[in-house]
Amino acid sequence: MQNPDREVRPPTDLQADRPHPARMYDYFLGGKDNFPADREAAERAAAGWPNVRKATLENRRFLGRAVRYLAEEAGIRQFLDIGTGIPTANNTHEVAQDVDPRSRVVYVDNDPIVLAHARALLVSAPDGMTTYIDADLREPDRILEHPELSRVLDLEQPVALMLIAILHFVPDEQDPYGIVRKLVGALPSGSYVALTQLTGDFDPYETGRLVRSYRDSGVPLQARSRAEVAPFFEGLELVEPGIEVVSRWRPDPAAPSPFTREEVSVYGAIAKVR
């Protein structure tokens, strides 16, 4: 990574005794960058909804297809990835820079373990650039005003805003729709928004158990219906096939998902800023 976040911060409490969504996500993907509290909460979630690992895997596969679409077909060379999570295979910059090594990516997350791994592992191709901002999605002004954002991305040129598996951790009382509007409002015409969101449309009982399990562990989680996902794209132009279960959004014909909509229960979509 080139020129990482230069802010000088005091030592950060890892809060290892509390589960964190990024570390739970890492555990579901088979990673090892998590603590006992994360693993215990993840196992409780899996007991409530055994399909959570399938959904996590398909969500990650959607990220790769979405970035490739944005880079190859839409011609995007700038990405703002909020809710990055702990680095694993096929990260946003790897997929984008495989298409064009000059691609630039700003990663944003608020977990100190993610920060440490991002600085070490999210290394740009020589012709491109990546950086990391330590911030929370619920602080859109802090993200948009951060000097690293303007150093790496030109907000007068199209940007892809990536909100993958993050909005369901922002309950309605924290105004997720207003947050998305604020971020989209800073993007120029020709930009794109890609997001995924847990839904109870296909298996309300089981996903309801998952939501309760997360909340019981102190992690806010909110499933949303298709009708509740649609307002995130208000005023934008949805890319075909629109709002669809992530496993069925432009699936890879060489490696189709073996899972049903009920097993996945995560919506995904990409839309263009007019």
Side-chain angles (χ1 to χ4, degrees), residues 61 251-257:
R61 294 178 69 190
D252 181 353
S257 171

Side-chain angles (χ1 to χ4, degrees), residues 51-79:
N51 291 319
V52 64
R53 287 185 173 86
K54 298 175 184 176
T56 303
L57 174 62
E58 290 299 333
N59 183 82
R60 189 70 189 184
R61 294 178 69 190
F62 170 85
L63 169 65
R65 296 197 307 277
V67 174
R68 188 158 294 277
Y69 164 80
L70 290 163
E72 281 188 345
E73 298 188 42
I76 297 296
R77 297 295 179 263
Q78 302 189 110
F79 295 80

Side-chain angles (χ1 to χ4, degrees), residues 83-158:
T84 306
I86 295 169
T88 181
N90 296 320
N91 299 291
T92 296
H93 77 283
E94 292 172 320
V95 178
Q97 292 181 351
D98 182 58
V99 176
D100 188 334
R102 298 169 297 176
S103 297
R104 295 175 168 230
V105 180
V106 173
Y107 289 106
V108 181
D109 211 304
N110 68 337
D111 180 74
I113 286 185
V114 174
L115 172 61
H117 284 275
R119 285 174 167 165
L121 299 176
L122 299 180
V123 179
S124 174
D127 294 335
M129 188 175 291
T130 66
T131 195
Y132 181 95
I133 295 175
D134 182 12
D136 193 303
L137 170 63
R138 294 165 293 187
E139 304 173 312
D141 288 326
R142 170 174 162 74
I143 295 171
L144 294 172
E145 295 168 5
H146 200 286
E148 282 295 280
L149 180 70
S150 57
R151 184 182 70 82
V152 174
L153 302 184
D154 178 359
L155 293 186
E156 294 186 358
Q157 299 298 320

Side-chain angles (χ1 to χ4, degrees), residues 4-267:
D5 188 347
R6 298 183 182 86
E7 288 183 288
V8 177
R9 294 176 178 269
T12 303
D13 180 5
L14 294 179
Q15 298 184 336
D17 59 331
R18 305 179 192 175
H20 189 283
R23 300 193 300 256
M24 293 172 68
Y25 190 83
D26 173 72
Y27 178 73
F28 287 135
L29 287 174
K32 301 185 184 303
D33 297 302
N34 44 72
F35 295 118
D38 305 305
R39 296 190 286 273
E40 291 166 10
E43 286 298 334
R44 285 195 297 271
W49 189 44
N51 291 319
V52 64
R53 287 185 173 86
K54 298 175 184 176
T56 303
L57 174 62
E58 290 299 333
N59 183 82
R60 189 70 189 184
R61 294 178 69 190
F62 170 85
L63 169 65
R65 296 197 307 277
V67 174
R68 188 158 294 277
Y69 164 80
L70 290 163
E72 281 188 345
E73 298 188 42
I76 297 296
R77 297 295 179 263
Q78 302 189 110
F79 295 80
L80 174 57
D81 186 338
I82 303 178
T84 306
I86 295 169
T88 181
N90 296 320
N91 299 291
T92 296
H93 77 283
E94 292 172 320
V95 178
Q97 292 181 351
D98 182 58
V99 176
D100 188 334
R102 298 169 297 176
S103 297
R104 295 175 168 230
V105 180
V106 173
Y107 289 106
V108 181
D109 211 304
N110 68 337
D111 180 74
I113 286 185
V114 174
L115 172 61
H117 284 275
R119 285 174 167 165
L121 299 176
L122 299 180
V123 179
S124 174
D127 294 335
M129 188 175 291
T130 66
T131 195
Y132 181 95
I133 295 175
D134 182 12
D136 193 303
L137 170 63
R138 294 165 293 187
E139 304 173 312
D141 288 326
R142 170 174 162 74
I143 295 171
L144 294 172
E145 295 168 5
H146 200 286
E148 282 295 280
L149 180 70
S150 57
R151 184 182 70 82
V152 174
L153 302 184
D154 178 359
L155 293 186
E156 294 186 358
Q157 299 298 320
V159 175
L161 171 64
M162 312 297 294
L163 299 168
I164 306 300
I166 184 67
L167 287 168
H168 42 235
F169 295 114
V170 184
D172 285 344
E173 55 266 29
Q174 294 180 345
D175 193 20
Y177 300 104
I179 291 169
V180 173
R181 283 196 300 271
K182 167 80 76 169
L183 292 167
V184 172
L187 304 180
S189 176
S191 295
Y192 286 81
V193 178
L195 67 80
T196 65
Q197 162 72 52
L198 176 72
T199 185
D201 282 356
F202 306 104
D203 195 353
Y205 176 74
E206 294 295 335
T207 52
R209 292 177 64 187
L210 177 71
V211 168
R212 288 191 296 274
S213 175
Y214 266 76
R215 291 179 177 176
D216 289 345
S217 297
V219 179
L221 184 67
Q222 181 167 341
R224 293 187 172 95
S225 67
R226 191 181 190 283
E228 292 169 323
V229 173
F232 287 121
F233 299 104
E234 185 176 355
L236 308 180
E237 180 183 341
L238 280 165
V239 173
E240 289 294 330
I243 300 170
E244 179 58 279
V245 174
V246 289
S247 54
R248 302 191 178 199
W249 193 95
R250 300 194 175 211
D252 181 353
S257 171
F259 306 133
T260 65
R261 283 189 170 96
E262 289 78 9
E263 290 174 304
V264 177
S265 289
V266 175
Y267 280 126

